Amino acid sequence: MRPAFSVLFLTTLIGSGQGLLIALVTAQFFFVIGAGKGGESGAFYAVGSALALVLLGLGLVASFFHLANPQRGWRAAARWRTSWLSREVILIPAVCGLTLLYAGVHWLDWRPVLVVFANGKALDLPMAVGFAAAAVSLLLFVCTGMIYACVKFIRQWASIWTVVNYLLMGLASGFALAAAYAGLMDSVLRDFLVADALALTLLGMATRLYQIRRNGHARLRSSLKTAIGTHHPQIRQITQGFMGQSFNTIEFTAPGGAETIRGLTVFFTLAGFAAPSLLLAVSLGGTGAMLLVVAALCQYGGLLAERWVFFAAGNHVQNLYYQAKA
Amino acid sequence: MTKVQLALVIDLNVCVGCHACVTSCKEWNTSGWAGPLADQNPYGADPTGVFFNRVQTYECGTYPNTETIHFPKSCLHCEEPPCVPVCPTGASYKREEDGIVLVDYDKCIGCKYCSWSCPYGAREFDPIQGVMKKCTLCVDRIYDKTLPEDRRKPACVLACPTSARIFGDINDPDSEAAKAIRDAGGFQLMPEWGTNPANHYLPRRKTTMTLHKDELVRADNPLKIEGELPRPKFNAPSIDDLSSW
Ligand code: SF4
Ligand code: SF4
């Protein structure tokens, strides 16, 4: 499949935005249950989630570049009953709204207690909004992943691993960003977030590499025999019917071919996972933010390449019909 | 009685690969009220363009024992169209009344998601109008009361010089299309995906004739040898009673 840059930016940007938001909520929860000493100021969460909002907004802008008729974009909310794309279109503004709310209540330091539990712990408004925002973000990860995982005509995409990887890579990049942010702010959360980011990055690397291995021996369900309904062991296409290009030869192929995919796979494994893991591991327990910022940026670049490979490696069934020009 | 399902039945045994259906389809559909089927760089080195119908050519076997198959391909108007439920806007839909799968160009946002969900590569995106396009079964002419009745057929069907394309309701057992599917072994493309395409194809058929040895020589030749018969005797009976010479 042709990797469209609008979609690469959309999925990676909202992924890290959602990840960052979930990281902040997790960190807040970490204090609420009393696992960490002290706490963080409302401003810390407010600025952090504003950063997440910026990422989500940039993703949204990128998505509009993907649509040929963006002025009708609102119509895309219509078929949420059947279309994962429609569900995503609804959840992106929902996540943006909840993130704004989360940032707002933290900024205003407005913490009315909503529920007090039997063990004396209380649920205040910022935490409640945070839970809602994190839950919707997780749903959004599922929607984004399912958009690709439910395309059964692309064997490389049509598995649960697509969803798992979208989730883990989004979380990893968001937590890495949160760790860098905590480092810059000299927050007590720094080590907590660095450790989480490290674990998620390693986990994401494992599941992504597993998916690549699995796709290595993926077999197409169709063949030229079923494509043209002729039961002959030896069929070849003489011509696809035209000498130039068509939508079918542009949208469903990637520039560069197998070489580029192999090269970029090595690149994203190093830049997206290995190098950030190393940097995160080294900064664990230390101070300073430089390494963490480098880790987050390097990881984002790597994950962008990962998304390119994800698209380029998808081989659609329709390509059976487009093999020869004459 | 089941629902009406209009479709094409394409006889691969008859198609000669002349592309008449391709050009007539393009001509009809680029001239309609829905706007042109855009071409980009049509006279340049690397042209692209939107077509609803393509004729492809395949070859089976190894030379000299080969067989050529000309294979016209357009939207198959699947009875379970995977392209429809994925559309976020509802622009892609299947008509209740006749089973034609259509795109509402006023609702389509051009996200291209539906084209990923068609295993046949039947949808082609129009970059000029920014909407997804595909075969409409000439929905704008098959119901046109201003046309004589025998002309209310898809442009490709009318253009085919060999009558390889049959148009009709495949759910009506008495239609020509349904009969052809039944009698000539009509089949669907890629049945493994459960799309249940409405368009069917008729297979290539071998045309053979059995010749027996005695049919190769003149049965009334007593010597079973081609050539002059032996000269009769001088006094053998003849028409003028004089001589058979
Ligand atoms: S052939 Fe493709 S575009 Fe046409 S109805 Fe079937 S899945 Fe949809
Ligand atoms: S390109 Fe148009 S018809 Fe296709 S899924 Fe998107 S909105 Fe629907």
Side-chain angles (χ1 to χ4, degrees):
Chain A
M1 301 297 285
R2 183 180 62 91
F5 273 95
S6 49
V7 179
L8 304 192
F9 280 111
L10 163 70
T11 55
T12 49
L13 284 170
I14 63 169
S16 44
Q18 291 157 254
L20 176 54
L21 181 71
I22 292 173
L24 292 170
V25 176
T26 316
Q28 192 191 346
F29 184 58
F30 174 69
F31 284 123
V32 167
I33 57 170
K37 281 185 217 29
E40 259 306 340
S41 66
F44 175 84
Y45 297 107
V47 174
S49 38
L51 191 63
L53 199 57
V54 169
L55 291 171
L56 289 164
L58 288 175
L60 212 54
V61 170
S63 79
F64 274 92
F65 280 101
H66 182 65
L67 301 184
N69 276 303
Q71 78 282 4
R72 302 179 194 148
W74 58 273
R75 287 186 184 275
R79 290 301 149 104
W80 55 272
R81 278 197 193 82
T82 57
S83 172
W84 285 103
L85 181 52
S86 189
R87 290 170 199 160
E88 186 193 46
V89 165
I90 293 171
L91 285 190
I92 291 177
V95 170
C96 289
L98 284 167
T99 309
L100 188 65
L101 203 63
Y102 186 62
V105 291
H106 269 304
W107 185 253
L108 300 174
D109 228 357
W110 189 34
R111 326 164 169 251
V113 171
L114 300 180
V115 195
V116 179
F117 296 103
N119 59 2
K121 303 242 183 278
L123 175 71
D124 60 3
L125 184 66
M127 193 72 258
V129 174
F131 282 147
V136 179
S137 292
L138 284 175
L139 280 181
L140 180 54
F141 273 125
V142 174
C143 287
T144 311
M146 278 309 289
I147 288 177
Y148 304 97
C150 78
V151 182
K152 57 183 175 183
F153 306 116
I154 302 174
R155 277 290 277 106
Q156 290 79 1
W157 295 3
S159 75
I160 187 66
W161 295 102
T162 299
V163 183
V164 169
N165 285 324
Y166 269 73
L167 175 69
L168 286 178
M169 281 184 270
L171 287 179
S173 64
F175 272 80
L177 211 58
Y181 171 63
L184 285 172
M185 296 285 132
D186 224 359
S187 162
V188 283
L189 285 168
R190 185 182 179 278
D191 272 349
F192 170 71
L193 289 169
V194 169
D196 289 351
L198 179 59
L200 285 163
T201 304
L202 290 175
L203 196 60
M205 174 154 87
T207 56
R208 185 64 176 107
L209 291 181
Y210 172 73
Q211 188 186 28
I212 289 178
R213 217 186 102 80
R214 190 171 177 273
N215 286 347
H217 27 82
R219 288 275 165 277
L220 264 187
R221 191 133 146 230
S222 298
S223 64
L224 269 183
K225 278 193 213 180
T226 62
I228 67 167
T230 300
H231 298 282
H232 197 288
Q234 216 177 353
I235 309 174
R236 67 190 181 98
Q237 188 173 52
I238 303 289
T239 168
Q240 60 190 6
F242 50 97
M243 310 272 286
Q245 298 278 338
S246 82
F247 175 70
N248 308 81
T249 60
I250 298 167
E251 175 78 1
F252 296 85
T253 48
E259 296 273 281
T260 321
I261 294 180
R262 259 198 302 278
L264 278 176
T265 304
V266 174
F267 171 76
F268 85 66
T269 312
L270 294 176
F273 298 108
S277 303
L278 206 65
L279 290 170
L280 287 167
V282 169
S283 9
L284 203 59
T287 51
M290 210 46 228
L291 286 183
L292 293 175
V293 172
V294 173
L297 291 180
C298 164
Q299 181 169 48
Y300 183 76
L303 292 186
L304 210 52
E306 184 283 328
R307 215 38 53 95
W308 196 96
V309 169
F310 172 78
F311 275 89
N315 184 19
H316 197 284
V317 170
Q318 74 111 37
N319 289 344
L320 283 172
Y321 291 108
Y322 297 91
Q323 297 181 8
K325 281 187 188 180
Chain B
M1 184 56 220
T2 38
K3 292 187 299 200
V4 176
Q5 173 65 63
L6 297 181
L8 294 170
V9 177
I10 298 168
D11 194 342
L12 297 181
N13 198 46
V14 172
C15 176
V16 291
C18 69
H19 290 245
C21 52
V22 177
T23 51
S24 66
C25 165
K26 177 90 175 181
E27 190 275 331
W28 174 263
N29 286 294
T30 204
S31 330
W33 52 264
L37 296 187
D39 288 320
Q40 284 181 306
N41 203 14
Y43 304 107
D46 197 16
T48 54
V50 182
F51 283 76
F52 289 171
N53 181 32
R54 309 269 191 184
V55 175
Q56 309 189 315
T57 302
Y58 296 84
E59 190 179 71
C60 294
T62 26
Y63 181 82
N65 297 316
T66 55
E67 189 170 351
T68 303
I69 299 170
H70 298 295
F71 179 80
K73 177 167 84 74
S74 54
C75 170
L76 307 171
H77 300 280
C78 302
E79 302 214 43
E80 300 291 339
C83 55
V84 168
V86 300
C87 173
T89 61
S92 275
Y93 64 107
K94 186 170 176 71
R95 297 197 346 156
E96 277 299 317
E97 61 267 42
D98 54 15
I100 301 181
V101 176
L102 288 177
V103 180
D104 184 337
Y105 299 154
D106 294 328
K107 281 192 191 158
C108 175
I109 53 173
C111 67
K112 304 178 189 149
Y113 195 35
C114 53
S115 69
W116 297 0
S117 284
C118 168
Y120 308 104
R123 290 174 169 247
E124 298 196 13
F125 182 70
D126 184 335
I128 308 285
Q129 244 175 297
V131 297
M132 192 55 74
K133 299 199 166 173
K134 58 177 272 309
C135 163
T136 66
L137 272 185
C138 285
V139 70
D140 55 344
R141 72 170 292 147
I142 56 178
Y143 296 112
D144 187 346
K145 294 264 161 58
T146 64
L147 294 173
E149 202 165 343
D150 63 335
R151 305 292 295 169
R152 291 180 212 154
K153 285 180 183 169
C156 57
V157 175
L158 295 169
C160 181
T162 60
S163 303
R165 306 173 76 91
I166 306 167
F167 170 67
D169 173 12
I170 57 161
N171 283 345
D172 169 8
D174 295 327
S175 73
E176 199 195 339
K179 275 188 202 147
I181 295 171
R182 212 164 50 226
D183 299 345
F187 63 87
Q188 296 171 316
L189 303 184
M190 293 188 185
E192 63 274 24
W193 296 111
T195 54
N196 197 6
N199 281 14
H200 281 66
Y201 288 78
L202 305 182
R204 303 264 309 159
R205 295 179 284 280
K206 286 262 188 300
T207 309
T208 54
M209 192 174 153
T210 311
L211 280 180
H212 297 288
K213 212 164 175 194
D214 63 344
E215 290 167 326
L216 293 172
V217 290
R218 271 170 49 191
D220 58 353
N221 179 349
L223 296 178
K224 304 277 188 275
I225 301 167
E226 297 294 308
E228 295 264 315
L229 290 175
R231 181 193 284 224
K233 275 202 186 122
F234 178 78
N235 56 354
S238 66
I239 293 171
D240 59 4
D241 266 345
L242 207 66
S243 164
S244 63
W245 278 17

